[in-house]
Amino acid sequence: MKASPTPERLLAHADAALRSAMAAATARTPSRLAKAAAGAAYLDLWACERLLRADGGIRSASARFLVPRLLMESVDGLTVLLGTELHRANRASAEYRRRARLLGEAMWHPDHEERLMAVVERLSLPLYGDDRLSRPMTSVRPMSLPTALHRMLDDLERERRQLIDDCALSEGSATARDWARADRYALLTAAAACVDDWERRKGHRQHRLADLTRLVGALSRLAVRLDREPAGPDAELSGALFDEADLYCRTSSVVVRTARSAARQLAGV
């Protein structure tokens, strides 16, 4: 059996898919939902890269399990941006279709259950020590946070504590409940990675507002996947990143890069 692509390689595919979709749709004025689709793909790309950097790269069980799904979902959503361009016989549309197909194949690679079980096995151990979820979602005092971010982090913190309690009661069997718990663990780990990155950078004056906008948007998308309340309507939160996504695609090279260089050049890196 051929090995599944690494999370880094999947980042390169999603990066190229976003660039191709933006290039194919450049002649049309995008609708509100089209802007949201592009912003969502940009945000998921950003969140996945943070998870990879924070949780051990390709050795991360959470990244190997979660990255294929998040990127496949957001890249699939770019069909709204493409519209009638989706099936055109031009280079940009064809490249988008190829990258989307590769992400779909990676999501349903024969080892997808093995990736899931690696996270389930992680949850058979107590969540303490070096595990990121052994610590609160943020060390920043609530009074210093914007209201929407404060509320969302409070909600994610309650989810983190509930997960720890649930894991303590687990019998270590591979049941549907354990699989759902693994999904929550991976999503919370990604959220924590985004928060940690923002806390490291929030003292920098340059792009501070853009950093906060990305954080709120990325956390909102993760919160929805956890059945938690986002900071606001997803279309508006994601659409707010359209101009930044467009600038990113216009100022970086369109030439297909290696996975390593793609990971270094993702948004905000």
Side-chain angles (χ1 to χ4, degrees), residues 36-234:
Y42 179 77
L43 285 169
D44 284 351
L45 200 60
W46 184 83
C48 286
E49 199 277 335
R50 265 69 197 157
L51 173 60
L52 265 179
R53 290 202 302 176
D55 199 47
I58 62 174
R59 298 183 300 278
S60 166
S62 291
R64 291 183 64 242
F65 166 63
L66 191 62
V67 166
R69 175 162 69 89
L70 295 194
L71 295 183
M72 184 192 74
E73 287 176 357
S74 59
V75 166
D76 186 58
L78 289 171
T79 56
V80 177
L81 173 66
L82 282 156
T84 57
E85 296 295 321
L86 176 61
H87 299 294
R88 293 284 175 85
N90 57 59
R91 182 175 180 179
S93 297
E95 181 67 359
Y96 165 80
R97 294 193 299 269
R98 184 175 79 87
R99 300 290 183 161
R101 186 189 74 250
L102 290 170
L103 286 168
E105 290 172 354
M107 172 63 193
W108 300 113
H109 188 276
D111 76 350
H112 72 273
E113 187 171 344
E114 177 187 329
R115 299 196 303 265
L116 169 62
M117 291 309 300
V119 183
V120 171
E121 290 171 8
R122 171 67 195 86
L123 297 182
S124 66
L125 303 171
L127 298 184
Y128 59 68
D130 291 336
D131 195 292
R132 174 59 183 84
L133 297 189
S134 68
R135 309 191 306 277
M137 291 298 293
T138 180
S139 60
V140 177
R141 291 184 302 171
M143 292 179 60
S144 66
L145 294 172
T147 301
L149 180 57
H150 176 208
R151 290 175 178 170
M152 190 159 49
L153 286 176
D154 264 359
D155 206 21
L156 291 172
E157 176 60 19
R158 285 192 289 273
E159 177 76 13
R160 184 192 71 86
R161 290 196 298 264
Q162 184 62 56
L163 176 64
I164 291 175
D165 291 344
D166 290 351
C167 288
L169 298 174
S170 174
E171 298 179 356
S173 57
T175 65
R177 184 178 179 184
D178 295 310
W179 298 337
R181 189 179 294 119
D183 193 54
R184 289 164 61 200
Y185 173 83
L187 287 165
L188 281 169
T189 301
C194 292
V195 174
D196 290 347
D197 179 79
W198 178 74
E199 289 185 355
R200 283 193 299 269
R201 296 166 57 89
K202 69 184 180 67
H204 301 172
R205 291 183 179 179
Q206 187 178 18
H207 304 313
R208 186 172 180 178
L209 180 59
D211 287 344
L212 179 60
T213 303
R214 279 194 298 267
L215 176 66
V216 171
L219 289 183
S220 291
R221 289 184 59 74
L222 294 170
V224 167
R225 287 156 169 148
L226 284 161
D227 294 324
R228 293 282 180 170
E229 288 295 322
D234 184 62

